[in-house]
Amino acid sequence: MVLTAGLLLGAGAAPAHAAGLREVTKGPCQYAETPDEPAARPVPLPRDPRHTPDRGTVTTTLVTNLGLIPLTLDRAQAPCTVQSFLHLVRHRFYNRTICHRLTTYPTLKVLQCGDPSGTGEGGPGYRYKDELPTDLPPAPTDPTGERKVYARGVLAMANAGPDTNGSQFFLVFADSALRPNYTIFGSVRPLGLRTLDRVAAGGVAPTAEDPAPVDGTPARRTEICLAI
């Protein structure tokens, strides 16, 4: 789930130690099956070579119904995360999926995607370790200094606690204040930011219980038609 001030961007319901992990890859990334949380769409564990590529960048694009979202993935910043994300792209895991959550709080402005079930509970049937940022500036809205700035254009992983990365990710469309508990693995390129702005401009879909929500399903349905 996505909460305000506490700023938890969740993906799935249970932490890794409660998920009954079974098969684990033997490389440095140690992608671990979660049999208690099966894949929302069938996909094998990623390859996990002895040396995970950890230099340079790679580009990929989310083709959505509202426009293109080109991404630059940073292998040096988060090699295991980039390796997993590209694996899911190659296996068409993200194709024909919706971005299920938009948040428009003053301190949290993100679009969350990556769950084929569209519920916010689905994942790829495996999890892996965090690769957390260490050099983010403090959020000026947080006098404690605990929250940091996840700047406009950041691409990061959602999670359900430490070392529970799977397939869900979020795209930051305006500077946000978060504890540095979310792996940053790339950035949204300028054309993609314009697409994100279109999604954000539509706001969150109202409900009978909350006619003016700031957290929920995007009013403008946002579908990843193809990830390439």
Side-chain angles (χ1 to χ4, degrees), residues 10-225:
H17 61 73
L21 301 184
R22 193 164 55 194
E23 183 180 348
V24 180
T25 59
K26 299 187 184 304
C29 295
Q30 295 189 317
Y31 302 111
E33 279 189 335
T34 55
D36 292 346
E37 296 176 27
R41 178 176 288 172
V43 65
L45 289 175
R47 290 183 63 254
D48 190 6
R50 181 177 300 175
H51 175 70
T52 308
D54 59 1
R55 294 183 181 181
T57 60
V58 60
T59 58
T60 187
T61 299
L62 307 178
V63 180
T64 82
N65 59 313
L66 297 177
L68 300 178
I69 305 180
L71 307 172
T72 298
L73 311 183
D74 188 342
R75 291 189 188 275
Q77 193 170 30
C80 292
T81 303
V82 171
Q83 187 166 255
S84 172
F85 190 85
L86 291 175
H87 167 78
L88 294 173
V89 168
R90 293 184 189 112
H91 283 269
R92 304 178 182 177
F93 186 85
Y94 294 125
N95 293 3
R96 302 180 309 282
T97 62
I98 64 167
C99 293
H100 60 275
R101 199 151 204 176
L102 178 71
T103 64
T104 60
Y105 297 109
T107 57
L108 181 62
K109 297 181 182 293
V110 306
L111 178 67
Q112 190 167 332
C113 315
D115 171 15
S117 76
T119 65
E121 297 295 327
Y126 66 85
R127 289 182 170 179
Y128 59 96
K129 65 184 180 181
D130 294 323
E131 297 171 294
L132 299 178
T134 59
D135 57 354
L136 299 178
T141 56
D142 181 11
T144 70
E146 292 181 1
R147 294 176 179 83
K148 308 298 181 182
V149 175
Y150 278 64
R152 173 174 164 85
V154 156
L155 170 66
M157 292 300 295
N159 64 51
D163 301 323
T164 59
N165 299 292
S167 62
Q168 292 188 43
F169 59 92
F170 62 92
L171 308 145
V172 182
F173 60 86
D175 288 3
S176 297
L178 285 162
R179 288 185 173 86
N181 298 337
Y182 305 93
T183 297
I184 294 174
F185 66 104
S187 59
V188 183
R189 296 165 71 183
L191 177 60
L193 290 174
R194 292 197 289 273
T195 301
L196 285 180
D197 289 341
R198 284 195 284 274
V199 178
V204 179
T207 65
E209 296 77 19
D210 189 352
V214 292
D215 181 355
T217 304
R220 290 185 175 175
R221 177 182 171 85
T222 306
E223 180 180 356
I224 300 174
C225 306

